[in-house]
Amino acid sequence: MDRRELADFLRSRRERIAPADVGLPAGPRRRTPGLRREEVAQLAFISAEYYARLEQARGPRPSREVLAGLARALRLSDVERAHLHHLAGAPPAPAPGPSREVRQSILDLLDRLPRAAAFVTSATLEVIAWNDLAAALMEDFSALSRRDRNLVRRAFLDPRPGDRRLYGASDPDEFARHAARRLRATAARYPDDPEVAGLVAELLAGSEEFTRLWHSHDVSAVPTLRKTFQHPLVGPITLNCDALDIADRDQQVVIYTAVPGSSSEEALRLLSVIGTQRVDVPG
């Protein structure tokens, strides 16, 4: 436990929070920036004396319960919460399961990419956010259940024929290998999560291909840099594929873009007008 660093960190976080941010009146005689020590203690459900000793670098090692209360009271981000635990000599416990909450800034980013098809996947490859062009290119995800938005399940258990597997993408087998490797790494990070364990069990029971890949124990995934979709309305669309990691949420933003001036760029532009209209595809 680094008492001095912990004290300085707590003080710096306390001073950045305005009373109004946590529903407290500012009052006419407030001489300190941010919250008072006793206000933090009240919000964290600990004694004011104990909190003061922490900021004076002379308090005992706080328990995980106290650290959770301080993180909540000081409105710490996930990264700041982990830092608080490390300073207190109590590394944070592993997350109970993959996060499905997408930051507002990421949702805003999706909306600001009108010429790109972009979506966010969780650690289990569930599509958890998307923009309009991604829905037009792939599927109207808003019409699907959580179960049906999972790309690993779709890669291995989708009964549709090969030419429509994974939205008519040109690399369904390669993506399946990529997905199996990603899921194995996810299962190692969340060993106690029942949803992850249930997904793995379902895939093992329902797909010989997944079972073979799972037992290979591969965890490294080679990124796909270009992909062609056979779209039922506008035909083939060849797109660059980039994936950006959101490390603190264990998520990825996947962005499909067309080469400027290409026929695929024109096809994407047409899709942005058509939207999620679909045609019946045999099979």
Side-chain angles (χ1 to χ4, degrees):
M1 175 178 174
D2 191 331
R3 285 180 170 81
R4 173 49 57 194
E5 286 293 325
L6 176 62
D8 291 345
F9 181 67
L10 290 173
R11 186 179 305 108
S12 70
R13 300 305 89 179
R14 172 173 62 84
E15 291 177 348
R16 72 175 184 172
I17 300 176
D21 293 339
V22 292
L24 295 174
R29 303 183 61 179
R30 185 172 293 270
R31 294 177 303 200
T32 181
L35 298 179
R36 299 186 178 102
R37 286 176 176 172
E38 58 269 24
E39 291 170 336
V40 174
Q42 179 183 358
L43 292 168
F45 300 105
I46 59 178
S47 73
E49 179 184 358
Y50 178 50
Y51 180 75
R53 292 176 65 192
L54 288 176
E55 276 206 12
Q56 293 163 359
R58 59 187 185 90
R61 175 178 291 176
S63 67
R64 290 187 182 277
E65 291 75 15
V66 168
L67 292 172
L70 290 171
R72 182 179 60 251
L74 296 171
R75 307 183 71 177
L76 301 185
S77 67
D78 291 343
V79 173
E80 290 171 328
R81 185 180 297 108
H83 185 59
L84 173 68
H85 276 263
H86 285 294
L87 291 177
S99 173
R100 298 184 64 257
E101 183 179 352
V102 182
R103 284 202 305 267
Q104 185 59 49
S105 60
I106 299 297
L107 296 176
D108 293 341
L109 172 65
L110 299 185
D111 289 339
R112 289 172 181 148
L113 295 171
R115 297 172 61 184
F119 57 95
V120 180
T121 59
S122 70
T124 60
L125 274 84
E126 177 190 342
V127 178
I128 52 178
W130 56 90
N131 65 7
D132 291 341
L133 194 49
L137 174 67
M138 300 168 70
E139 189 164 10
D140 183 3
F141 295 110
S142 66
L144 303 179
S145 65
R146 276 191 58 195
R147 171 186 174 81
D148 293 334
R149 291 202 301 268
N150 187 283
L151 299 182
V152 189
R153 186 179 282 114
R154 180 144 191 157
F156 291 100
L157 303 180
D158 193 342
R160 275 170 278 202
D163 62 344
R164 289 305 303 153
R165 184 184 178 196
L166 287 169
Y167 314 106
S170 56
D171 62 341
D173 293 333
E174 180 57 38
F175 178 81
R177 289 190 289 272
H178 168 89
R181 292 166 180 169
R182 284 274 307 276
L183 186 58
R184 177 166 275 288
T186 295
R189 291 196 300 276
Y190 305 99
D192 300 321
D193 182 60
E195 191 167 331
V196 173
L199 176 59
V200 172
E202 179 186 355
L203 291 164
L204 288 171
S207 171
E208 293 182 2
E209 180 187 7
F210 178 83
T211 300
R212 177 179 56 80
L213 293 169
W214 184 258
H215 290 308
S216 72
H217 290 269
D218 290 334
V219 293
S220 60
V222 178
T224 298
L225 301 180
R226 181 165 291 192
K227 179 175 300 197
T228 298
F229 291 87
Q230 293 293 335
H231 194 277
L233 293 180
V234 298
I237 309 176
T238 299
L239 302 171
N240 296 323
C241 177
D242 293 285
L244 310 177
D245 289 331
I246 310 173
D248 63 316
R249 300 290 175 95
D250 204 3
Q251 298 167 359
Q252 277 194 337
V253 182
V254 180
I255 305 174
Y256 291 127
T257 54
V259 174
S262 66
S263 59
S264 292
E265 183 183 44
E266 184 59 34
L268 274 187
R269 187 177 294 113
L270 179 58
L271 270 184
S272 68
V273 176
I274 295 173
T276 55
Q277 299 177 48
R278 307 300 298 224
V279 296
D280 292 331
V281 181

